Amino acid sequence: MTQLYSLQFVSFLLLMLIVYFMVGKTRYRSSQWVVLLVGSLGFYLFSGWENLIFIGVTALSVWLVGLRFEKLDQLEKELKKDAADRAEKKEVKRRIKQRKWTFLLLVMVLNFGILSYIKYWNVILGFFGAGDGFLASQLLLPLGISFYTFQSIGYIIDCYFGKYAPERNFARFLLFVSYFPQLIQGPINRYDALAQQLYEPHRLDVHNVRRAILLIGYGVFKKYAIADVLVSSVGSALDSIDASTPGSVIVYGIFLYAIYQYADFSGGIDMVRGVSQLFGIKMAQNFRQPYFSISIADFWHRWHITLGAWMRDYVFYPMALRPSLKSLTTWATAHLGKHVGRTIAGCLANIVVFFLVGLWHGAELHYIFWGLYNGLLIASADLARPLFTWLIDKLRINVASAPYHVFRIVRTFILVCIGYYFDRLMNASDLPTAFYNTLFNFQPQNFVPYLQLHPTANFTLCLLLAGVSCLILFAISVMAERGIDVKGRILAAPLVVRFVIYAVFVVLVLFSFTLVQSSGGFMYANF
Amino acid sequence: MRTSRLKKLASALVIAVLMIGVLGVANFALELKGTKSNIVWTNFEQSEDLDMVYIGTSVAASSFNPNLIDAEYGSNSANMASPLQKIEETYLGIQSAYERFCVKRVVMTLDFTTLQLSETPNLGSAYLTQRGRVVGPTQYLASTAWLIADKGAAGVPGSINMAFPWISNHPTWKDGIGGIKRNVETKLDGSTVAQAVEAMEPGWTYFGKGYGNKYAQLDYDSKDVALFGELEKIETLSFEEAAIEGVREICAYCAERDIELIVVNVPIPVFNIHGYGQFYVDSQQAVATLLGDMGVAYYDFAYAKPELLQLEPADFYDNQHLNAVGADKFSTAFVTFMGMLDAGQNTDGLFYTPEEYLATIDYVSAVKASATSAEDGIHITGNAFAGSGVEVEYQMFARPVASDQWQLVRDYAPSNEAIWNPDARGTYDIRVNVRARGSDVDYDHFNTAEVIY
């Protein structure tokens, strides 16, 4: 049922919508959310009943700690009231904070521990050559564990800092953790943005439904008419790299992978956001035309936005504002200059953040390298900013000009693609060969023969379909980048125009299924 | 407000109708009329009486000639096999044959790759679609509901795509517009289904009773010679639980209705058996054991003795399938075999044991060439497929792809490996000749491959 484009999921969704909006018309309207909870648990049950235990443990532990925080806050208030002087109040505050910290630490250790054990343990054992030993875990990765764990931990950290009051009703909290559209591949929603929407009643809003269907359709288009028709070509170019693989083929494979990954992940996110919107619930945006980014830092504000924001709020800031880093800032300002002093803490925090981003994707070395590459790139760009400013001045570049903007987009895209070497080449030992061949063994004359030797089904048609679809994707992205409400424009267009647009999308998607047998799975469903 | 809503509803309806029109046109142009599955079900629809059916994948489709079998054996049979037929489709085929004709005997092929597939059928497959058209919507839904509810079938994109049959059943895109044009022509010019298949697949001839075949012969020296399909990647003997369950249900269905179920393995080219070696033996044993546990006998005609079946290398049209000549030989042998079964005679003596069989092969059946690029040059490897008592020797050549002049890399020697260091980087053809050691022919077989250095 986790395949969105399937009879099973569509039947489930229709049933959910009917029941949800029917309940919305009764006097039990305020209990509409119960339908979502039951449906979400049913959906999760389909992925394996054992998984319910994991999500149950996460929800229960985080919820209990949230309640504990509330009680401790209450206790703090009472003790402060009875305190004799400011010093005693301060002491009360310190003690309560310490207890809250202990609880926070425990719940994080528990939940990250579960996540780490399931996700990383076997990889670590494999690294030491004990992957098949008796210590190896037999547990399969529960659906969406990385996403709901991060979402839950985000909630409890916010509760810890008193950003909002904890949820007192466990069932409601369980819905926040297990809401079915977010379980497949995120996004990592925030409690203050999502919870109220989940719990409040919703009426069927035709306008909303039309926009939601367009969003789902756009996601289906990206996933099937682009990502799935490219996956074999990416594999044939990058799956068996050796000394004889021409650099031109590797570059081509990485370029296709850049398109594939964006279309797969953002397509899936559009589909689940659209599904959620059918219920009148808007989930967090996860992509904003990432390949139009003008820097790597900008890229991470547009790509997997909810993970980036999570890392920013719960790792970057807490770390960059730590007293120890403040001392470093002071020292660096004195010894290395103002600019370095101002940026050094952020640079270090970025490196740690992106190390964790890499680790979030997996414990394999290539993911760690990928994360570090991004962190180091952002850190060095920050440190070298005066140099860039000086160069721009010297070369008299008009930074507001269109060509410079395009240059920055292309430069960023190339840097992102270099990062994809680390991301996509599963075997870290292939990396030196891949980089070497890209730089010194490009062999454009062997590009076609290599692809002929590694054929994929319907190769030409797949590339043609992906090419046409990418042009459409590009046009829509440009409009979105300019702030145009594309869905609104389509819905307001004359009937003939709308029909032509829908027909083109439907035909392209259906045609894609004649070229490749898609399993319907999403790349990020594995994380 | 009300007018606006009505307007929106009307425009949505217009768009829906237009969309159905577009998809209808696509279906007419793209859904293949000429498919083997359509042959099977059209023949099924036109048959008045059947007492025996042959069912399974393409190996069954190209092996059982019901015309020959009926003439010699006195049965009234039909071939209901189809390419890549899944166990569940086989079950539904048997069910349909019993419900309509009360067939007494089912002859099923069961190659072990079928048992290793975890995929349930695509609900939009040609076999299920055509069956649905023949048995009608009520019976289709009644008999297929369990499959539609199955996680593997309903939880994949194919389940929605069953509404668009052309997705799984369209002219090969390699033929471009020509394929679509031919398909439309067969729908407009009154061609029969058989004529439609013949138009779409030149060289294939329909012989009636659901059976058709080719007269083409496998070129054992072709670059395309390979151990069949996915088998090359399969290294374990484990079977999918769902597939085993499917076989169990077929056995139970037949047992409950007193249908005699005979499971056979049809012959494949000798080099394929050599290629898999002990794995082939073990896999066949595993299938036999599985069926034995269900009380069903399994007969492997690959091990048939010459007095039952004597096939030549020229009796196959590709790496796996018998051609029309081979199928007639096999069908004749099958009649003999059935006669003995009916007479209660012991048929064990008609088959070799695997070891006996391999010892009877005293020639080189094929060779597979491969090459990889390394720092010290191109590593060329030849793998000959030959009888257990045959010693072979290899000769290697190479040339740039643009050249037609082969350069000798190494003359005949027992080693199957050689390293060649070209003068320049580029793309090269390599060729491996093989012959029985001591022979003075230029080669028994050869094979070529391409490599980038």
Side-chain angles (χ1 to χ4, degrees):
Chain A
M1 193 148 75
T2 54
Q3 313 301 342
L4 303 180
Y5 186 92
S6 71
L7 198 60
Q8 219 167 44
F9 184 79
V10 171
S11 310
F12 164 78
L13 181 60
L14 285 176
L15 182 70
M16 284 287 292
L17 287 167
I18 290 167
V19 176
Y20 185 74
F21 288 115
M22 272 173 61
V23 170
K25 287 202 164 192
T26 67
R27 63 197 172 100
Y28 301 109
R29 204 168 158 240
S30 58
S31 304
Q32 253 183 324
W33 63 271
V34 176
V35 178
L36 291 181
L37 175 63
V38 172
S40 296
L41 294 179
F43 176 84
Y44 209 61
L45 193 64
F46 248 82
S47 73
W49 64 267
E50 306 92 336
N51 296 341
L52 275 178
I53 299 172
F54 290 106
I55 202 166
V57 166
T58 296
L60 190 64
S61 60
V62 172
W63 176 72
L64 284 173
V65 170
L67 290 185
R68 191 75 201 148
F69 285 169
E70 194 176 39
K71 281 201 174 154
L72 286 170
D73 287 342
Q74 203 103 39
L75 183 67
E76 185 182 345
K77 272 181 198 163
E78 283 163 18
L79 290 174
K80 272 182 174 173
K81 236 189 256 172
D82 299 339
D85 53 19
R86 245 182 116 181
E88 198 177 331
K89 279 184 184 174
K90 239 180 157 180
E91 177 57 21
V92 167
K93 193 179 174 184
R94 192 195 60 79
R95 274 194 291 127
I96 296 291
K97 198 178 169 189
Q98 198 171 33
R99 286 176 71 180
K100 279 175 77 177
W101 171 245
T102 309
F103 277 110
L104 179 66
L105 200 64
L106 281 174
V107 81
M108 289 208 299
V109 167
L110 172 70
N111 284 284
F112 284 137
I114 292 172
L115 178 66
S116 308
Y117 177 69
I118 292 175
K119 201 166 166 174
Y120 307 128
W121 181 243
N122 283 356
V123 181
I124 294 166
L125 284 182
F127 193 75
F128 292 106
D132 299 325
F134 70 99
L135 286 172
S137 163
Q138 303 299 318
L139 294 171
L140 295 173
L141 197 65
L143 183 68
I145 188 168
S146 300
F147 296 100
Y148 72 68
T149 302
F150 272 54
Q151 186 163 308
S152 305
I153 296 299
Y155 159 85
I156 203 64
I157 294 174
D158 284 347
C159 286
Y160 172 82
F161 285 112
K163 193 175 171 189
Y164 39 71
E167 173 57 58
R168 290 184 177 172
N169 182 327
F170 176 66
R172 281 157 65 108
F173 183 69
L174 184 60
L175 172 60
F176 165 69
V177 178
S178 67
Y179 180 47
F180 75 92
Q182 73 195 5
L183 283 178
I184 298 169
Q185 53 172 353
I188 302 167
N189 288 295
R190 296 298 180 87
Y191 181 79
D192 49 350
L194 181 70
Q196 197 47 40
Q197 293 188 74
L198 290 174
Y199 308 146
E200 69 192 10
H202 292 276
R203 286 190 186 283
L204 182 68
D205 175 354
V206 175
H207 179 69
N208 196 38
V209 168
R210 291 172 80 202
R211 289 183 74 90
I213 289 173
L214 279 188
L215 187 55
I216 295 170
Y218 188 43
V220 168
F221 166 75
K222 284 196 265 185
K223 164 71 181 160
Y224 296 106
I226 301 177
D228 279 13
V229 293
L230 289 181
V231 67
S232 299
S233 299
V234 172
S236 81
L238 302 177
D239 279 351
S240 49
I241 289 181
D242 59 26
S244 70
T245 311
S248 53
V249 170
I250 297 169
V251 169
Y252 150 87
I254 290 292
F255 176 69
L256 291 191
Y257 177 68
I259 299 169
Y260 159 76
Q261 189 176 198
Y262 172 59
D264 187 272
F265 192 14
S266 75
I269 288 289
D270 286 348
M271 286 157 79
V272 295
R273 287 183 73 227
V275 165
S276 181
Q277 200 176 334
L278 288 173
F279 294 91
I281 297 161
K282 290 190 176 172
M283 295 203 298
Q285 189 181 10
N286 219 22
F287 291 92
R288 197 166 41 81
Q289 296 83 249
Y291 292 147
F292 289 156
S293 307
I294 53 169
S295 67
I296 289 288
D298 184 29
F299 175 78
W300 282 100
H301 289 134
R302 292 160 169 261
W303 175 277
H304 206 168
I305 296 169
T306 55
L307 177 65
W310 195 99
M311 289 289 178
R312 179 196 63 210
D313 292 350
Y314 304 121
V315 181
F316 180 87
Y317 284 132
M319 191 182 166
L321 300 176
R322 281 188 72 79
S324 51
L325 281 186
K326 276 186 181 165
S327 323
L328 178 69
T329 300
T330 315
W331 180 88
T333 308
H335 294 87
L336 302 168
K338 232 187 205 171
H339 176 73
V340 175
R342 217 169 29 222
T343 50
I344 188 86
C347 289
L348 286 175
N350 263 322
I351 292 169
V352 173
V353 160
F354 281 96
F355 168 77
L356 292 176
V357 166
L359 199 61
W360 181 88
H361 285 78
E364 291 83 354
L365 267 183
H366 69 101
Y367 285 131
I368 310 284
F369 288 158
W370 176 61
L372 286 174
Y373 165 81
N374 279 284
L376 288 168
L377 213 56
I378 291 174
S380 34
D382 277 349
L383 283 172
R385 184 153 298 131
L387 177 69
F388 296 140
T389 312
W390 177 80
L391 264 176
I392 286 165
D393 276 352
K394 278 281 166 205
L395 298 171
R396 294 184 182 180
I397 293 167
N398 176 6
V399 290
S401 69
Y404 184 67
H405 185 67
V406 172
F407 161 75
R408 292 210 287 181
I409 289 174
V410 173
R411 178 198 59 190
T412 306
F413 182 69
I414 291 170
L415 292 173
V416 168
C417 284
I418 293 171
Y420 286 153
Y421 277 67
F422 300 104
D423 178 24
R424 177 57 178 79
L425 303 182
M426 307 294 177
N427 193 348
S429 60
D430 285 344
L431 282 165
T433 311
F435 280 120
Y436 179 85
N437 285 8
T438 300
L439 294 171
F440 307 112
N441 194 13
F442 202 68
Q443 296 188 62
Q445 75 282 8
N446 279 334
F447 178 76
V448 174
Y450 186 91
L451 295 182
Q452 284 170 341
L453 275 177
H454 297 79
T456 55
N458 295 308
F459 171 77
T460 313
L461 282 174
C462 281
L463 282 194
L464 192 67
L465 173 63
V468 170
S469 303
C470 280
L471 285 178
I472 295 172
L473 174 66
F474 180 73
I476 293 172
S477 303
V478 169
M479 285 195 276
E481 186 70 3
R482 289 183 173 177
I484 295 169
D485 174 15
V486 182
K487 287 190 277 295
R489 286 268 180 99
I490 292 173
L491 289 173
L495 189 139
V496 177
V497 176
R498 263 186 294 154
F499 165 70
V500 171
I501 292 172
Y502 299 157
V504 166
F505 273 67
V506 168
V507 168
L508 289 176
V509 169
L510 293 182
F511 182 55
S512 76
F513 289 113
T514 70
L515 300 177
V516 290
Q517 268 216 334
S518 171
S519 64
F522 294 98
M523 180 184 173
Y524 264 72
N526 301 320
F527 291 126
Chain B
M1 186 73 169
R2 198 163 187 172
T3 324
S4 158
R5 272 194 185 172
L6 278 174
K7 216 174 151 186
K8 276 182 183 167
L9 187 67
S11 68
L13 276 174
V14 171
I15 287 179
V17 169
L18 287 172
M19 199 64 83
I20 290 169
V22 167
L23 294 172
V25 170
N27 205 49
F28 179 79
L30 298 174
E31 189 192 10
L32 262 183
K33 178 178 179 179
T35 63
K36 313 276 171 58
S37 294
N38 205 358
I39 291 264
V40 164
W41 289 105
T42 304
N43 177 64
F44 181 89
E45 196 176 18
Q46 292 166 352
S47 298
E48 289 179 359
D49 189 25
L50 291 176
D51 52 24
M52 176 161 70
V53 292
Y54 317 101
I55 202 156
T57 57
S58 56
V59 291
S62 62
S63 299
F64 293 96
N65 181 350
N67 307 284
L68 187 151
I69 295 171
D70 290 353
E72 293 188 14
Y73 183 63
S75 52
N76 196 355
S77 64
N79 195 319
M80 292 185 69
S82 63
L84 295 172
Q85 192 174 95
K86 306 283 188 337
I87 291 282
E88 290 85 349
E89 291 174 319
T90 304
Y91 179 91
L92 287 169
I94 295 171
Q95 190 188 46
S96 300
Y98 180 76
E99 285 179 2
R100 173 129 182 227
F101 302 110
C102 283
V103 290
K104 299 277 182 288
R105 185 179 272 160
V106 169
V107 182
M108 181 170 90
T109 60
L110 189 64
D111 40 294
F112 76 99
T113 46
T114 307
L115 291 166
Q116 298 197 310
L117 289 177
S118 57
E119 310 142 29
T120 36
N122 182 343
L123 291 173
S125 77
Y127 197 80
L128 291 182
T129 306
Q130 297 302 341
R131 177 181 167 275
R133 283 172 186 163
V134 169
V135 300
T138 319
Q139 201 188 331
Y140 178 82
L141 276 177
S143 61
T144 322
W146 60 274
L147 186 56
I148 294 174
D150 184 275
K151 193 177 172 183
V156 296
S159 56
I160 290 187
N161 291 342
M162 72 189 270
F164 317 106
W166 56 274
I167 287 179
S168 6
N169 182 26
H170 54 80
T172 165
W173 298 130
K174 276 182 197 157
D175 291 348
I177 299 295
I180 301 170
K181 190 167 161 269
R182 271 204 305 282
N183 185 44
V184 172
E185 281 168 1
T186 61
K187 288 187 176 180
L188 295 176
D189 67 7
S191 298
T192 62
V193 175
Q195 286 167 334
V197 182
E198 286 167 354
M200 300 307 292
E201 199 176 327
W204 187 88
T205 308
Y206 184 57
F207 296 103
K209 299 196 175 189
Y211 167 73
N213 212 329
K214 297 175 178 177
Y215 282 101
Q217 293 176 358
L218 170 64
D219 175 4
Y220 286 80
D221 297 330
S222 155
K223 210 183 247 185
D224 298 331
V225 158
L227 307 183
F228 56 83
E230 293 290 310
L231 268 175
E232 273 183 295
K233 295 167 196 159
I234 294 174
E235 287 162 357
T236 75
L237 286 173
S238 62
F239 296 147
E240 283 292 331
E241 193 48 51
I244 294 173
E245 188 53 35
V247 174
R248 198 172 285 132
E249 280 170 11
I250 289 173
C251 295
Y253 183 88
C254 292
E256 282 162 20
R257 287 156 187 81
D258 210 16
I259 304 169
E260 186 186 355
L261 177 65
I262 296 172
V263 184
V264 302
N265 183 41
V266 299
I268 53 174
V270 171
F271 78 86
N272 249 318
I273 297 176
H274 288 150
Y276 292 110
Q278 190 57 36
F279 185 73
Y280 182 84
V281 176
D282 294 344
S283 65
Q284 294 310 312
Q285 187 53 51
V287 176
T289 306
L290 174 71
L291 288 163
D293 292 345
M294 298 175 195
V296 175
Y298 177 65
Y299 304 99
D300 189 350
F301 276 73
Y303 296 147
K305 287 183 177 173
E307 51 265 40
L308 177 65
L309 173 64
Q310 185 143 33
L311 289 170
E312 303 297 326
D315 291 332
F316 295 88
Y317 72 77
D318 69 9
N319 299 317
Q320 195 180 4
H321 301 95
L322 289 166
N323 59 24
V325 175
D328 282 356
K329 288 183 187 175
F330 171 74
S331 297
T332 305
F334 185 69
V335 169
T336 309
F337 172 75
M338 294 297 292
M340 289 178 72
L341 272 190
D342 290 347
Q345 291 175 280
N346 188 348
T347 56
D348 290 353
L350 297 174
F351 300 95
Y352 287 122
T353 63
E355 296 74 26
E356 287 168 349
Y357 170 76
L358 290 174
T360 64
I361 310 299
D362 57 0
Y363 57 90
V364 180
S365 55
V367 61
K368 192 74 192 149
S370 61
T372 52
S373 210
E375 285 306 311
D376 56 346
I378 295 172
H379 289 229
I380 304 170
T381 308
N383 280 309
F385 305 118
S388 48
V390 183
E391 291 189 330
V392 296
E393 55 186 7
Y394 300 87
Q395 186 182 36
M396 278 87 165
F397 296 90
R399 69 180 181 194
V401 278
S403 164
D404 54 3
Q405 286 296 311
W406 288 109
Q407 177 188 335
L408 181 66
V409 172
R410 199 206 67 197
D411 207 350
Y412 273 114
S415 166
N416 69 336
E417 290 175 345
I419 297 173
W420 180 56
N421 209 336
D423 297 333
R425 290 202 174 270
T427 311
Y428 294 90
D429 282 329
I430 58 118
R431 171 175 167 148
V432 176
N433 289 347
V434 66
R435 67 183 183 191
R437 210 181 295 171
S439 163
D440 57 359
V441 295
D442 284 348
Y443 56 83
D444 286 329
H445 284 290
F446 71 87
N447 192 234
T448 57
E450 215 173 278
V451 62
I452 292 175
Y453 175 70

